[in-house]
Amino acid sequence: MPETTLEIRPGVTIPEHLVGEVRSKLAYVDELIGGAEISPAGDLIHLYLQRKPSADEIQALKEKTNRVVNLMARGVIQPKVEILEDRLDLPLPYRDDPLEALTRRHEIHQEASGVYTLGPLVTRLMDYFETRFLALANHFDAAPYRFPTLIPARYLSRVNYFRAFPHSLTFVTHLRSDLDVIDHFAAHAVADESGRINMPADTYASIETLLSPAVCYHLYFSLADRKLDSEYMVATAVGNCFRYESSNLSSLERLWNFTMREVIFVGSKEFVLENREASRQYMQTVLDEIGLAYRVESANDPFFIGEFRRQAAFQSAFQLKYEIRARLPFRESTLAVGSYNYHQDFFGRHLNISLPDGSPAHTGCTAFGLERLAFAFLAQYGLKRDDWPVAVREGAG
Amino acid sequence: MSDSTLLSKVKTVLADVFQVPEEDLSDDLVFGDLPQWDSMGHMDVMLSLEQNFGVEINAETIGSLTSLATICAYLEQNGNA
C-alpha cells in the first residue's frame, strides 16, 4: 500500500480531456509510484509512493513527472469529440461495485495483479456475449480463425508497436539451452514472498517472443508480403490478449490478461469503413437487447508518452477509433468495453499487404473485451439473475 | 505570394520534415505517397506548417490537409507567409 504522498505542480496545466490519460501514464514514471491523482483543474498532481523518498528521489520524480506532462500536454491539439450513440441515462437497478460480491461468492479469484480466474457466473455471461458476437461475425460471413497467444517480436517491431506502446508489452522467455543453467535452476529456483524467482537475469534466453497484445495483428501478419486473391476479406477470432498496466491494473476493469473477440475487415477504404459502420449499427440493437447503459464516442489508443500527442491527434482528426463506453454506476464513470477501429492502410503498407489491383490494403476491426463487458453488465444489473434483462437472463441462465 | 512561390516554400518544409530532396516531391503528392508521410509524419508536417506559416492546426485541418495541393490552397487563404 502507498505510504507517502508527493505533491507536484506541473509546469504545464493539464487540459481536462487529458487528465485521465496523463494520470494513467504516471504509473510508469517510477517504480516508487503506487498510484496518482490529478486535480480537476489539471494544476496539481499527487503521487502516492510505496515508501518515503530521498531528496534525490524527490528531484527525479519531479523531473520525470514534468517530462510526462510536457510531452503529453504542451501544445496539445483539442480532439474532435463525436458521440454516435448515447444510452448512458438508461435506468439501472444496481449501484454497487460488483467486485466485492463476486469475490465473496468465490465467483472470481485474483491470482496476481491483473490476473483473475473466473467462475461460472462470469463465464456464462461471457459465453452469452460471445454468442452475440459470433452472430455479428456470421452476419458478415466472417471466416473463423484461431490465433496463438505468443507473437514474434519481429512482427511487432515491423509495425512500430515498440515505439507506440512500449509500456504495455509483456515478454516471454525461457531458460537458456545450457545444461548447467537448467540444472542450477532446477536445484535452486524458488519464488520469494514477492512472487519473484530468485535467479539472475542471464539465466534466461534473450527475448524473441511476446504475449500477444491484440487479436487482429495475427491476421495481418499472416497476410504480410502477399497480394490478396479477392478484393476483400472478413475474419473473426477470439484470443487471450496481454497489456501490462503497472499500478493501473485494477479489478476486472483493467486486466493484464484478458479475452478479446474481433471481427476484422480487410479491403478497400470504402469496404472497411462501410463494414465498420454496419457492425456498429448491428451492435446497437444487440447492446439495447442486453440492456447496457453505454455511449459510443470518438477515442484514441493509449499511446505512450512520446507518441501520444501526435498519434492521438491523428486518430481523432481522421475518426479512426470509436469506443463503446459502458456506465459504471458505482463510480459514476465509464469503461471501454469495445471499439470500432479503422487503421487506414497502415498495416497494408508496413506489412506489404496488397489488394488484387496492387494498392495497399486498408484494415479495420470491431473488438470487444469480454471480461470488461461482463464486469460492466454486473455493475449495472448486479449478480441476481432475476434483475437482468430478459435476453441475458435466458441466454446466460 | 505567387502560387509557384508558395508551392516551392511548402515543398521546402515537407522536404525538411521528410528528409528527402525537394525534387523528389511531385506537385500531386498526397498522404501515403512517401513512407515518411504516415500518421507520425503527417503530424510533423502539421506542426511544421504551424511554425512556418502561422496557421492554426486543429482536428479539422489535420484531417483535410492530406495533399500538397490542399495544403497550398489552405495556406493561400489562411497563412501568414
Side-chain angles (χ1 to χ4, degrees):
Chain A
M1 285 291 289
E3 288 187 349
T4 186
T5 304
L6 178 65
E7 274 189 12
I8 298 175
R9 288 204 175 273
V12 179
T13 299
I14 303 161
E16 188 181 355
H17 76 273
L18 273 188
V19 163
E21 293 276 6
V22 174
R23 191 199 61 73
S24 71
K25 296 300 186 300
L26 292 175
Y28 305 96
V29 162
D30 196 288
E31 288 177 337
L32 266 178
I33 296 174
E37 279 178 16
I38 299 173
S39 65
D43 58 354
L44 185 61
I45 295 171
H46 288 93
L47 296 181
Y48 301 107
L49 307 177
Q50 311 282 4
R51 61 169 169 76
K52 201 169 184 326
S54 67
D56 285 349
E57 285 172 332
I58 289 174
Q59 195 57 34
L61 283 164
K62 286 183 175 176
E63 186 276 318
K64 286 196 277 186
T65 298
N66 266 307
R67 202 191 318 161
V68 170
V69 175
N70 278 334
L71 283 167
M72 293 182 74
R74 189 182 289 278
V76 71
I77 295 165
Q78 184 77 20
K80 188 164 60 179
V81 178
E82 199 178 358
I83 296 169
L84 302 183
E85 299 167 43
D86 195 343
R87 306 278 199 280
L88 278 183
D89 289 338
L90 206 66
L92 298 170
Y94 198 73
R95 293 201 61 83
D96 294 335
D97 183 347
L99 191 76
E100 195 216 337
L102 286 168
T103 306
R104 196 174 58 244
R105 294 187 193 187
H106 304 292
E107 286 288 352
I108 59 171
H109 170 70
Q110 185 175 10
E111 292 192 348
S113 185
V115 182
Y116 281 83
T117 54
L118 307 174
L121 182 86
V122 180
T123 302
R124 286 190 181 115
L125 260 182
M126 289 168 58
D127 286 347
Y128 166 67
F129 294 140
E130 262 286 75
T131 64
R132 308 304 303 259
F133 300 143
L134 283 168
L136 168 77
N138 286 336
H139 178 74
F140 290 100
D141 204 17
Y145 278 74
R146 191 169 285 275
F147 298 128
T149 299
L150 303 183
I151 197 160
R154 68 177 188 281
Y155 281 149
L156 290 178
S157 179
R158 196 167 163 187
V159 295
N160 295 334
Y161 199 89
F162 297 160
R163 198 173 70 183
F165 305 103
H167 55 302
S168 62
L169 296 169
T170 308
F171 302 98
V172 174
T173 185
H174 50 82
L175 296 181
R176 287 197 293 119
S177 297
D178 180 314
L179 187 60
D180 292 336
V181 170
I182 298 170
D183 276 346
H184 182 78
F185 186 92
H188 302 288
V190 288
D192 65 19
E193 281 181 9
S194 69
R196 296 184 181 93
I197 298 173
N198 61 338
M199 287 288 126
D202 64 2
T203 303
Y204 308 105
S206 57
I207 292 162
E208 299 171 359
T209 309
L210 293 91
L211 293 176
S212 184
V215 172
C216 60
Y217 280 35
H218 292 279
L219 180 71
Y220 307 145
F221 295 145
S222 76
L223 300 174
D225 303 313
R226 271 175 56 186
K227 184 179 272 194
L228 299 186
D229 297 330
S230 59
E231 289 180 354
Y232 62 86
M233 70 179 294
V234 184
T236 188
V238 65
N240 266 303
C241 294
F242 302 82
R243 295 179 192 173
Y244 180 67
E245 299 215 31
S246 188
S247 56
N248 298 319
L249 290 168
S250 157
S251 169
L252 300 189
E253 296 173 53
R254 289 192 179 276
L255 292 169
W256 189 356
N257 176 179
F258 59 97
T259 317
M260 189 145 65
R261 161 67 65 179
E262 292 197 31
V263 180
I264 308 159
F265 306 104
V266 182
S268 66
K269 173 183 179 179
E270 292 72 26
F271 174 80
V272 173
L273 285 174
E274 277 170 21
N275 283 282
R276 181 179 74 157
E277 173 60 12
S279 70
R280 182 185 71 77
Q281 289 182 11
Y282 182 102
M283 284 309 298
Q284 189 170 5
T285 307
V286 173
L287 295 173
D288 281 347
E289 278 182 35
I290 288 170
L292 198 72
Y294 73 99
R295 184 155 75 185
V296 174
E297 63 184 26
S298 49
N300 57 262
D301 283 312
F303 299 104
F304 197 54
I305 296 152
E307 297 273 302
F308 178 83
R309 193 161 50 98
R310 288 181 294 172
Q311 293 274 33
F314 185 85
Q315 275 192 322
S316 168
F318 288 91
Q319 301 167 310
L320 301 185
K321 187 179 192 73
Y322 294 95
E323 281 181 345
I324 305 165
R325 299 197 66 90
R327 187 172 149 205
L328 296 181
F330 69 88
R331 190 182 295 138
E332 281 311 336
S333 67
T334 60
L335 175 69
V337 298
S339 59
Y340 305 105
N341 306 286
Y342 171 47
H343 315 120
Q344 299 178 313
D345 57 1
F346 177 85
F347 291 104
R349 286 182 182 277
H350 281 77
L351 296 172
N352 189 28
I353 307 166
S354 54
L355 299 176
D357 67 3
S359 63
H362 287 240
T363 60
C365 66
T366 293
F368 303 94
L370 292 174
E371 291 87 351
R372 279 188 173 195
L373 181 56
F375 180 79
F377 177 84
L378 292 170
Q380 295 184 4
Y381 287 95
L383 276 61
K384 282 192 226 158
R385 285 186 177 81
D386 290 347
D387 293 337
W388 294 0
V390 175
V392 186
R393 197 163 62 226
E394 291 178 352
Chain B
M1 188 184 296
S2 72
D3 288 354
S4 61
T5 311
L6 180 61
L7 180 66
S8 170
K9 198 167 176 187
V10 174
K11 278 189 178 180
T12 304
V13 170
L14 265 59
D16 182 52
V17 170
F18 298 142
Q19 296 288 292
V20 295
E22 277 182 51
E23 51 270 27
D24 285 4
L25 305 176
S26 64
D27 292 358
D28 57 357
L29 187 75
V30 298
F31 173 84
D33 276 357
L34 294 170
Q36 297 94 321
W37 200 348
D38 59 5
S39 55
M40 292 294 280
H42 186 67
M43 295 309 298
D44 287 339
V45 168
M46 294 298 109
L47 297 173
S48 195
L49 293 176
E50 201 173 40
Q51 287 163 8
N52 285 282
F53 296 93
V55 289
E56 184 197 338
I57 297 301
N58 55 38
E60 299 298 335
T61 49
I62 293 168
S64 62
L65 303 186
T66 53
S67 69
L68 199 48
T70 56
I71 290 172
C72 287
Y74 180 76
L75 293 177
E76 188 69 40
Q77 292 204 329
N78 301 282
N80 299 322

